[in-house]
Amino acid sequence: MNIATIILVFVISWWMVFFAALPIGVRAQDETDEEITEGTVPSAPSNPNLKKKMFWTTIVAILVTVGYYYLATSGLISFRGMKPS
């Protein structure tokens, strides 16, 4: 398996998981007791926890990439013998 393929699978899975994780646990500024930051809209997130989400996204993306690598190299799923209909 090519290293470029593994990197591509990691990057794509990282971004997919990251965008899925972005809305988790986010509260708008008008939903919290904190004061609304001047220059922002009231619906802006008060604390998006981006570092924490990036960490967990990286862990999940690594697991997805390892799972893909295992499936692609183990022979459980093979597309080489398929013929177009």
Side-chain angles (χ1 to χ4, degrees):
M1 173 162 290
N2 192 349
I3 188 71
T5 305
I6 295 170
I7 291 171
L8 186 63
V9 168
F10 175 77
V11 169
I12 291 172
S13 63
W14 192 94
W15 280 105
M16 289 178 62
V17 172
F18 183 65
F19 282 131
L22 277 176
I24 296 173
V26 175
R27 294 184 48 161
Q29 291 182 38
D30 59 356
E31 295 175 345
T32 61
D33 295 333
E34 299 173 11
E35 204 172 300
I36 295 175
T37 306
E38 191 171 332
T40 64
V41 293
S43 60
S46 61
N47 186 9
N49 294 321
L50 290 179
K51 288 182 183 178
K52 183 177 177 183
K53 289 178 184 180
M54 288 172 68
F55 171 77
W56 285 109
T57 296
T58 303
I59 299 298
V60 172
I62 288 171
L63 293 175
V64 168
T65 305
V66 167
Y68 168 79
Y69 180 79
Y70 173 73
L71 284 175
T73 59
S74 68
L76 291 174
I77 299 175
S78 176
F79 298 107
R80 298 199 188 277
M82 296 179 69
K83 295 181 182 178
S85 53

